[in-house]
Amino acid sequence: MPQYKAPLRDFRFIINELLDAPAQLAQMPFYQENETADADLMNQVIEEAARFVEGELLPLNQVGDQQGCHRSENGDVKTPDGFKAAYQKYVQAGWPALDADPKWGGQGMPHTVANAMLEMMNSANVAWAMYPGLTHGAVSALSEVGSPELQALYLPKLISGEWTGTMCLTEPHAGTDLGIIRTKAADNGDGTYAITGTKIFISAGEHDLTDNIIHLVLARLEGSPEGTKGISLFLVPKFIPGADGTPGERNGVVCGSLEHKMGIHGNATAVLNFDGAKGWLVGEINRGMNHMFIMMNAARLGTGMQGLGIGEIAYQNAVAYAKDRIQMRAEPRVTPDQPADPIIVHPDVRRMLMTGRAYNEAGRALALWLALALDTEAHHPIEAKQKEAADTVALLTPIAKAFMTDNGFNVAVQSQQVFGGHGYIAEWGMEQYVRDARIGQIYEGTNGIQSLDLLGRKVLMDGGKKLQALAGTLQAFAEENEDDEAVGEYITQLGKAANQLATLTMLVGQKAMDSGDKGQDEVNAVAVDYLRYFGHVVYGYLWARMAKIAAEKVAAGQDLDGFYQAKLDTAKFYFDRLFPETKSLSQTIKAGGESLDFDLRGMFGFEPEHA
Amino acid sequence: MPQYKAPLRDFRFIINELLDAPAQLAQMPFYQENETADADLMNQVIEEAARFVEGELLPLNQVGDQQGCHRSENGDVKTPDGFKAAYQKYVQAGWPALDADPKWGGQGMPHTVANAMLEMMNSANVAWAMYPGLTHGAVSALSEVGSPELQALYLPKLISGEWTGTMCLTEPHAGTDLGIIRTKAADNGDGTYAITGTKIFISAGEHDLTDNIIHLVLARLEGSPEGTKGISLFLVPKFIPGADGTPGERNGVVCGSLEHKMGIHGNATAVLNFDGAKGWLVGEINRGMNHMFIMMNAARLGTGMQGLGIGEIAYQNAVAYAKDRIQMRAEPRVTPDQPADPIIVHPDVRRMLMTGRAYNEAGRALALWLALALDTEAHHPIEAKQKEAADTVALLTPIAKAFMTDNGFNVAVQSQQVFGGHGYIAEWGMEQYVRDARIGQIYEGTNGIQSLDLLGRKVLMDGGKKLQALAGTLQAFAEENEDDEAVGEYITQLGKAANQLATLTMLVGQKAMDSGDKGQDEVNAVAVDYLRYFGHVVYGYLWARMAKIAAEKVAAGQDLDGFYQAKLDTAKFYFDRLFPETKSLSQTIKAGGESLDFDLRGMFGFEPEHA
């Protein structure tokens, strides 16, 4: 059975040494009041979370994959054996409320801590983690734009985990393009709405873990305009609660079927049929798309965390296998009493392992950096600091989502490869990671959509302001450290790539402007490569910073367990073997969309109706 | 349900226009005598094969995945519904004997034709295709080194498809490292041997398609030396045939279990327990490893063909979906009567589709080139031509296996991505291609092992001779065409990359020599990147050649259906967007093994027993 040990040492390194998070959080009145910014407390909570995750969630991962979820004829859904008991323990221990607002029963811990727990949950059992995970989006949307009545009735139960939430966006004919959804809302005239339509791909859409499920649903109110400007957000509970919060009448929303999927079998992906279901407006009429993005941004970082979590457990198991599996003999032999040596002696095996390690550790640093930025955005006393943090979150969220899920999938594949033929066999667990990781690249906005969000919206439409702010941060770090003996070489590489990123940005922007009607095509043609280039610049920056800290510890003789030397060695691997991907990306971005502008008829037999 | 149309037009283009295969084959007495080198005949056979594949195998692909194979308590294995009936039609139509020697009942068609059929079979149903596919290895080994008695008894039945064959190499503790296998052979003193041991991962190891299964088994004869020099190859039939070929007594080989795998569910991956099973020596005692490589080389090209076949059907379905799925609106609209436009208008979607197309068409060209080289090696009247073809096969087989399966997997993943969330749902069929394609990178020698075979054995140990011969071919083509208006730019890029490949080869060779005991580590550290670089040089060469032919046709006004213009456009895409991967690979190969030489204790907690 797969093994997993939470990367506690690395959490401490990133939270305390790289980000100096406790000191930063201590400046914020919210955490001062709740006394939740203490380094020891944060560490204790993470260690306690690790015990829960390793003890309760990890053992259910394979059984969840094998059993999947089952729907009975009446639309009820049974989750895999053990899922409900684990969820009850999770609720009893208060974990759902970890980073929620004490006003609604939350514990007021920093997102930084919750993010560490989320990574661990995703490592141990991503399908299980999605049940409480989807609730976060509902809580965010209700907290920000819900009426006081809705907040009072729903937030305490969602935050305690007594109920879970969902996000109901996709329809059979409308995924990326939510402007064409067909689900309708009719005004009942009593402050409620009748919601009718079919939603698909609803993660955790129906299950037996809780007494109630709260759906947040995009629908078009009768008489609203077409397209995205006519969409509103509604809250539709599975059971309609009384004023005291007791679930009452069954609402008109039923699970019509469950999808048969490549992975995340333990999570119920539901088709939900809304048949005049009673709903309550969340936020303003026709502002549903804006409100939805509150949910989506949280979900996007959360999806990135799935890539990281799966990458981490896949990596850990590949290391364990590579130390255990003996095959061929090294020169000199390292286990001379055995007929062969462990495959970890082979550089090509190490290359695969180090690819996982380098991506995982940088991903963890990015995720915790963003979590701290979310805390800062929400609670910093200085508005300019809030704004700066918000810009960082906006700019880097698509990278966290797409780069981390792409890397997570690739790390799962490489880790599977370490197992040879055994990696293809279900009982070893590695092939499940590949299947489970694959969805992260697709849902919550495909990684192609993330790339367009980054290059189109966050960089070009913004006039490059957010990009320049980040470049300023990199520049300051570079100037401070370019003569550093330990990391100067990395700074040089990073500086060149950052400059090249600026050049490429201008190049694409110019091409888009010069292309008139076809401008968007130039952006569309290179966005995916651009995001990947940008991701390497961000990871390169984080690796250079981590290497600098590690080098100082090593030089000071404070590296008792080899942790800091391993950081330095991993940084070197990253810059030697992974960061050079920027060389190719630079060239393909420069090549642009020219090779994608061809006759669709000859190439694909596609005949436009209107030429 | 997934669609598939055999790429008949592209087969004709490659076989006739790119390779001029019929003319080349017509120079070989074997094909002259059998009258099988005729272009029209070859084309007719491929078209007939396409009808069989599309009509009989394609409809069984999803059902095979869903049902899998089932073993009963006595060790019998039932294949999915329809597999046996399709196999019987396949045998009745004479397909198994297509490229076999008429001496044993074969039809004596060129491998070139059989290779096209193999691609189609792998597209339509790779799990099914593996039942007859594994037989080829057994036929090759028996044909080359089997005794006349064994040949007479077994070859006709294997070639007719009445029986199938297997390759039994792997054991639970021995995969890559066959020198440590434990299966034993004891001399019965009557010309037979008693084989005892356990073999795992035996594809098509047990099934209900045929009356008999012929296992080719690696085992160590009692008293033979340890390691690879003490291994012999034995033939072990499931039922021991009488002199007339009628299957008789049940032999002591039983399927102990079937593996639960990520994919290729329709193929039975068996654990085979040999308990004093009666076996016959194939070839010479203690030369089993050499004899095995006869089987492995055929199997390696065959595995590469799986990557190509799956890549092709995944690509075709992604194109169909991208033309059909409407989402978002293009400027100008292409289907103005619908609420949105087909996603094929988006350059990023085209980028994913073109990635598939460019890799598939180059892969097809490589595969057919190698098939023709196999024909040439076997039958050319001039020995020097045979030798030249053999060198091409030896050098390019690891590339065909690894580059084609890596690309095939990536194409399956990219094609799945085109489907968005629907790609993750089983009924669409795309996720099956990803799962089915994954094994190609692992079995028949992992792609890491292929890379070591290429760089270590085929290039460096050979003193670069085979590489230089290929470089000469490229050089001649480049000199002839460097001023060509249509393809000169590609030739320039290709020339630079080919020179760089030579430089990198010398660099790695020099580092290996300078590193003494650690020399092999330098090779091991970069072999995978080196193979990928080499693969791009080969594909670049093929794309440049295909573009040249296409450009001439376009210039001559002979491009009636847009086929040649699409070739030209695909070549441009390849050089613009895929070939630049060489830029990164060049840098990572130069970086070498330095970043993989670290303290294993600090990095992975691994303590060598002997430092």
Side-chain angles (χ1 to χ4, degrees):
Chain A
M1 207 183 73
Q3 316 167 15
Y4 173 68
K5 281 288 164 198
L8 298 173
R9 181 72 186 84
D10 209 37
F11 284 137
R12 290 200 302 275
F13 170 75
I14 294 169
I15 292 174
N16 299 312
E17 297 180 68
L18 178 69
L19 299 176
D20 197 18
Q24 303 232 19
L25 292 162
Q27 298 171 19
M28 306 178 201
F30 180 86
Y31 298 111
Q32 284 167 4
E33 286 157 23
N34 290 307
E35 298 180 355
T36 48
D38 178 71
D40 287 342
L41 175 65
M42 289 168 69
N43 188 43
Q44 280 165 27
V45 171
I46 292 172
E47 287 184 0
E48 192 60 40
R51 274 188 287 275
F52 174 78
V53 162
E54 293 169 8
E56 304 294 336
L57 302 187
L58 182 65
L60 301 177
N61 194 42
Q62 277 189 296
V63 70
D65 182 61
Q66 287 153 11
Q67 290 187 357
C69 295
H70 295 279
R71 173 183 170 279
S72 33
E73 270 184 40
N74 67 358
D76 288 351
V77 169
K78 191 184 171 314
T79 55
D81 291 349
F83 270 41
K84 182 167 183 167
Y87 188 80
Q88 286 170 339
K89 286 186 193 174
Y90 175 74
V91 171
Q92 279 155 18
W95 290 119
L98 191 61
D99 60 344
D101 195 328
K103 186 170 144 191
W104 304 113
Q107 299 177 26
M109 288 294 295
H111 290 307
T112 315
V113 172
N115 182 278
M117 182 168 194
L118 183 56
E119 181 198 316
M120 295 187 278
M121 285 167 50
N122 285 331
S123 285
N125 197 328
V126 69
W128 188 96
M130 288 170 70
Y131 290 104
L134 269 294
T135 307
H136 275 91
V139 167
S140 304
L142 275 178
S143 301
E144 286 205 35
V145 297
S147 69
E149 294 75 21
L150 288 181
Q151 290 182 339
L153 190 56
Y154 289 97
L155 281 177
K157 302 261 186 182
L158 286 169
I159 282 170
S160 71
E162 205 172 330
W163 300 345
T164 61
T166 75
M167 294 163 51
C168 299
L169 318 177
T170 304
E171 300 184 5
H173 68 293
T176 296
D177 190 0
L178 292 170
I180 56 174
I181 62 168
R182 294 179 191 143
T183 297
K184 298 275 178 220
D187 192 336
N188 289 332
D190 62 355
T192 69
Y193 297 81
I195 312 295
T196 301
T198 298
K199 295 288 183 178
I200 65 167
F201 298 164
I202 310 307
S203 297
E206 180 57 67
H207 58 74
D208 55 1
L209 302 185
T210 55
D211 293 339
N212 208 356
I213 302 172
I214 311 306
H215 306 291
L216 289 182
V217 185
L218 287 185
R220 193 181 311 278
L221 184 59
E222 284 177 352
S224 284
E226 288 199 359
T228 54
K229 288 174 182 167
I231 294 173
S232 305
L233 183 64
F234 298 91
L235 180 152
V236 180
K238 177 179 171 187
F239 291 98
I240 298 170
D244 64 346
T246 314
E249 188 193 344
R250 183 71 166 84
N251 205 350
V253 48
V254 176
C255 170
S257 66
L258 295 181
E259 304 286 359
H260 300 101
K261 309 186 300 288
M262 184 182 193
I264 51 168
H265 293 164
N267 198 275
T269 304
V271 174
L272 291 184
N273 297 317
F274 295 82
D275 185 11
K278 194 176 273 193
W280 283 262
L281 182 69
V282 177
E284 294 173 43
I285 287 175
N286 293 341
R287 298 266 295 160
M289 290 295 287
N290 300 67
H291 302 338
M292 182 200 71
F293 272 105
I294 302 166
M295 298 193 285
M296 288 299 281
N297 277 328
R300 285 175 174 182
L301 176 55
T303 304
M305 299 305 297
Q306 295 180 351
L308 172 58
I310 297 171
E312 174 65 25
I313 192 168
Y315 159 77
Q316 286 193 18
N317 281 281
V319 170
Y321 188 81
K323 295 198 291 192
D324 188 59
R325 172 77 170 178
I326 61 170
Q327 207 77 171
M328 311 306 278
R329 283 136 301 278
E331 183 59 51
R333 297 289 309 274
V334 297
T335 54
D337 300 338
Q338 303 214 48
D341 288 315
I343 60 173
I344 206 165
V345 301
H346 303 300
D348 184 54
V349 171
R350 290 187 209 172
R351 178 188 61 79
M352 294 188 274
L353 299 175
M354 292 301 291
T355 299
R357 187 178 183 116
Y359 277 132
N360 289 343
E361 293 185 1
R364 185 171 297 126
L366 170 61
L368 290 166
W369 178 21
L370 284 184
L372 182 60
L374 284 168
D375 289 329
T376 308
E377 178 184 355
H379 299 298
H380 203 285
I382 302 168
E383 206 183 314
K385 290 281 183 189
Q386 284 186 8
K387 174 75 172 62
E388 185 186 305
D391 282 352
T392 300
V393 169
L395 185 65
L396 298 187
T397 292
I399 293 171
K401 196 279 182 180
F403 199 57
M404 284 167 69
T405 55
D406 282 347
N407 294 336
F409 178 72
N410 290 334
V411 168
V413 169
Q414 297 261 308
S415 300
Q416 181 191 26
Q417 191 75 16
V418 171
F419 281 69
H422 298 280
Y424 202 67
I425 307 300
E427 66 181 316
W428 287 92
M430 300 305 289
E431 59 93 33
Q432 184 188 344
Y433 300 135
V434 175
R435 290 185 290 104
D436 285 355
R438 184 69 185 90
I439 188 60
Q441 305 172 283
I442 298 172
Y443 64 11
E444 306 307 343
T446 65
N447 286 358
I449 294 294
Q450 302 302 321
S451 304
L452 289 172
D453 180 49
L454 174 71
L455 176 55
R457 185 183 301 260
K458 304 291 173 59
V459 172
L460 294 177
M461 278 172 60
D462 180 57
K465 283 197 220 78
K466 293 188 188 74
L467 175 62
Q468 280 158 21
L470 181 73
T473 306
L474 266 67
Q475 184 67 25
F477 172 74
E479 282 172 12
E480 203 177 314
N481 297 289
E482 61 193 353
D483 299 328
D484 188 296
E485 205 174 315
V487 301
E489 189 193 329
Y490 306 149
I491 305 271
T492 306
Q493 284 188 57
L494 178 63
K496 280 187 197 162
N499 288 337
Q500 180 68 359
L501 180 64
T503 305
L504 292 168
T505 306
M506 284 188 288
L507 179 77
V508 177
Q510 192 61 49
K511 268 195 197 179
M513 279 200 292
D514 294 348
S515 305
D517 280 355
K518 290 275 183 190
Q520 183 55 32
D521 281 1
E522 281 296 330
V523 174
N524 200 301
V526 300
V528 164
D529 288 352
Y530 182 88
L531 183 142
R532 213 162 160 85
Y533 196 109
F534 204 140
H536 273 300
V537 169
V538 172
Y539 278 24
Y541 167 61
L542 291 167
W543 267 119
R545 282 184 57 191
M546 294 193 285
K548 179 177 149 66
I549 296 165
E552 287 167 1
K553 292 286 185 180
V554 169
Q558 292 172 356
D559 188 24
L560 302 180
D561 57 357
F563 175 86
Y564 295 106
Q565 184 59 49
K567 273 276 174 228
L568 271 178
D569 290 338
T570 308
K572 175 168 175 57
F573 176 81
Y574 179 77
F575 280 104
D576 266 19
R577 302 296 297 261
L578 302 178
F579 190 76
E581 191 184 356
T582 48
K583 297 282 174 190
S584 304
L585 293 167
S586 173
Q587 188 160 339
T588 55
I589 293 166
K590 277 189 230 160
E594 202 178 294
S595 65
L596 295 165
D597 186 19
F598 42 67
D599 176 26
L600 281 173
R601 192 176 47 89
M603 189 68 82
F604 296 127
F606 179 77
E607 199 78 55
E609 289 171 25
H610 177 279
Chain B
M1 206 184 75
Q3 315 166 14
Y4 173 69
K5 280 287 164 200
L8 297 174
R9 181 72 185 84
D10 209 37
F11 284 138
R12 289 200 302 273
F13 171 75
I14 294 169
I15 291 174
N16 298 313
E17 298 180 68
L18 179 70
L19 299 176
D20 196 19
Q24 303 233 19
L25 292 162
Q27 299 170 19
M28 306 178 200
F30 179 85
Y31 298 109
Q32 285 168 3
E33 287 157 24
N34 291 306
E35 299 178 358
T36 48
D38 178 71
D40 288 340
L41 175 65
M42 288 168 70
N43 189 44
Q44 280 165 27
V45 171
I46 291 172
E47 287 184 1
E48 191 60 41
R51 274 189 287 276
F52 174 78
V53 162
E54 293 169 8
E56 303 295 336
L57 302 187
L58 182 65
L60 301 177
N61 194 41
Q62 277 189 296
V63 69
D65 183 59
Q66 286 153 12
Q67 291 187 357
C69 295
H70 295 279
R71 174 184 169 277
S72 32
E73 270 185 38
N74 68 358
D76 288 349
V77 168
K78 190 184 170 314
T79 54
D81 291 349
F83 271 42
K84 183 168 182 167
Y87 187 81
Q88 286 170 338
K89 285 185 194 173
Y90 176 75
V91 171
Q92 279 154 16
W95 291 118
L98 191 61
D99 60 342
D101 195 328
K103 185 170 146 192
W104 304 112
Q107 297 176 26
M109 288 293 294
H111 290 306
T112 315
V113 172
N115 183 278
M117 181 168 196
L118 183 56
E119 182 197 317
M120 296 187 275
M121 285 169 45
N122 285 329
S123 284
N125 197 328
V126 68
W128 188 96
M130 289 169 70
Y131 290 105
L134 269 293
T135 306
H136 275 90
V139 168
S140 304
L142 275 178
S143 301
E144 285 206 34
V145 298
S147 69
E149 294 76 18
L150 288 181
Q151 290 181 340
L153 190 55
Y154 289 97
L155 281 177
K157 302 259 185 183
L158 287 169
I159 282 170
S160 71
E162 205 173 331
W163 300 345
T164 61
T166 76
M167 293 163 52
C168 299
L169 318 176
T170 305
E171 300 183 6
H173 68 292
T176 296
D177 190 359
L178 292 169
I180 55 175
I181 61 167
R182 294 181 190 141
T183 297
K184 297 277 178 218
D187 192 338
N188 289 331
D190 62 354
T192 70
Y193 297 82
I195 312 294
T196 302
T198 298
K199 295 289 182 177
I200 65 168
F201 299 162
I202 309 308
S203 297
E206 180 58 67
H207 59 74
D208 56 2
L209 303 185
T210 54
D211 293 339
N212 208 357
I213 302 172
I214 311 306
H215 306 291
L216 288 182
V217 186
L218 288 184
R220 193 181 310 278
L221 183 61
E222 283 177 351
S224 284
E226 288 196 1
T228 52
K229 289 176 183 165
I231 293 173
S232 306
L233 183 64
F234 297 91
L235 180 152
V236 180
K238 178 179 170 188
F239 291 98
I240 299 171
D244 64 346
T246 314
E249 189 192 345
R250 182 74 167 84
N251 204 351
V253 49
V254 176
C255 169
S257 67
L258 293 182
E259 304 287 358
H260 300 100
K261 309 186 298 288
M262 184 180 193
I264 50 169
H265 293 162
N267 198 275
T269 304
V271 174
L272 290 184
N273 297 317
F274 295 83
D275 185 11
K278 193 177 276 193
W280 283 261
L281 183 68
V282 176
E284 294 174 41
I285 287 175
N286 294 341
R287 297 266 296 161
M289 290 296 286
N290 300 66
H291 301 338
M292 181 200 70
F293 273 104
I294 302 167
M295 298 193 285
M296 288 298 281
N297 277 328
R300 285 175 174 180
L301 176 55
T303 304
M305 298 306 295
Q306 295 181 351
L308 171 59
I310 298 172
E312 174 65 24
I313 191 168
Y315 159 78
Q316 286 192 18
N317 281 280
V319 170
Y321 188 82
K323 294 199 290 190
D324 188 60
R325 172 77 170 176
I326 60 169
Q327 208 77 173
M328 312 306 280
R329 281 139 301 279
E331 185 58 51
R333 298 289 309 276
V334 297
T335 54
D337 300 338
Q338 304 216 47
D341 288 316
I343 59 173
I344 205 163
V345 301
H346 303 300
D348 185 54
V349 171
R350 289 187 209 172
R351 177 188 61 79
M352 294 189 275
L353 299 176
M354 291 302 292
T355 299
R357 187 178 182 114
Y359 277 134
N360 290 342
E361 293 185 0
R364 183 170 300 126
L366 171 60
L368 289 167
W369 178 20
L370 284 184
L372 181 60
L374 284 168
D375 289 327
T376 308
E377 178 185 354
H379 299 297
H380 203 284
I382 302 168
E383 205 182 315
K385 290 280 183 188
Q386 284 188 7
K387 173 76 171 60
E388 187 187 306
D391 282 352
T392 301
V393 170
L395 184 66
L396 298 187
T397 292
I399 292 172
K401 196 277 183 183
F403 199 56
M404 284 168 68
T405 57
D406 282 348
N407 295 337
F409 178 72
N410 290 334
V411 168
V413 169
Q414 297 260 311
S415 301
Q416 181 191 28
Q417 191 76 15
V418 171
F419 281 68
H422 298 279
Y424 202 64
I425 307 299
E427 66 182 316
W428 288 91
M430 300 305 288
E431 59 93 33
Q432 184 188 345
Y433 300 136
V434 175
R435 290 185 290 105
D436 284 356
R438 184 68 184 92
I439 189 60
Q441 304 171 284
I442 297 172
Y443 63 13
E444 306 307 343
T446 66
N447 286 359
I449 294 295
Q450 303 301 322
S451 304
L452 289 172
D453 180 47
L454 175 69
L455 176 55
R457 185 184 301 260
K458 304 289 174 59
V459 172
L460 295 176
M461 276 171 61
D462 179 57
K465 281 195 221 81
K466 293 187 190 71
L467 175 62
Q468 281 158 21
L470 180 72
T473 306
L474 266 66
Q475 184 67 27
F477 172 72
E479 282 172 14
E480 202 176 315
N481 298 288
E482 61 193 352
D483 299 327
D484 186 295
E485 204 174 316
V487 302
E489 189 192 328
Y490 306 150
I491 304 271
T492 306
Q493 284 188 57
L494 178 64
K496 280 187 195 161
N499 287 338
Q500 181 68 358
L501 180 65
T503 305
L504 291 167
T505 306
M506 283 189 287
L507 179 77
V508 177
Q510 192 61 48
K511 267 196 197 177
M513 278 201 292
D514 294 348
S515 303
D517 281 356
K518 291 274 181 189
Q520 182 56 31
D521 280 2
E522 281 296 331
V523 174
N524 200 301
V526 299
V528 164
D529 289 351
Y530 181 88
L531 183 142
R532 223 173 147 79
Y533 196 109
F534 205 140
H536 274 300
V537 169
V538 172
Y539 278 24
Y541 167 62
L542 291 167
W543 268 119
R545 280 184 58 190
M546 293 193 286
K548 180 177 150 62
I549 295 166
E552 286 167 1
K553 293 284 185 181
V554 170
Q558 293 173 355
D559 188 24
L560 303 181
D561 56 357
F563 175 86
Y564 295 106
Q565 185 59 49
K567 273 278 174 227
L568 270 178
D569 291 338
T570 308
K572 174 166 175 61
F573 177 83
Y574 178 77
F575 280 104
D576 266 19
R577 301 297 297 260
L578 302 178
F579 190 75
E581 190 184 356
T582 48
K583 295 283 175 188
S584 304
L585 294 167
S586 172
Q587 188 161 337
T588 56
I589 293 165
K590 277 189 226 155
E594 203 179 292
S595 66
L596 294 165
D597 186 19
F598 42 66
D599 177 24
L600 280 173
R601 194 175 46 89
M603 188 69 79
F604 295 128
F606 179 80
E607 199 77 58
E609 289 172 23
H610 177 278

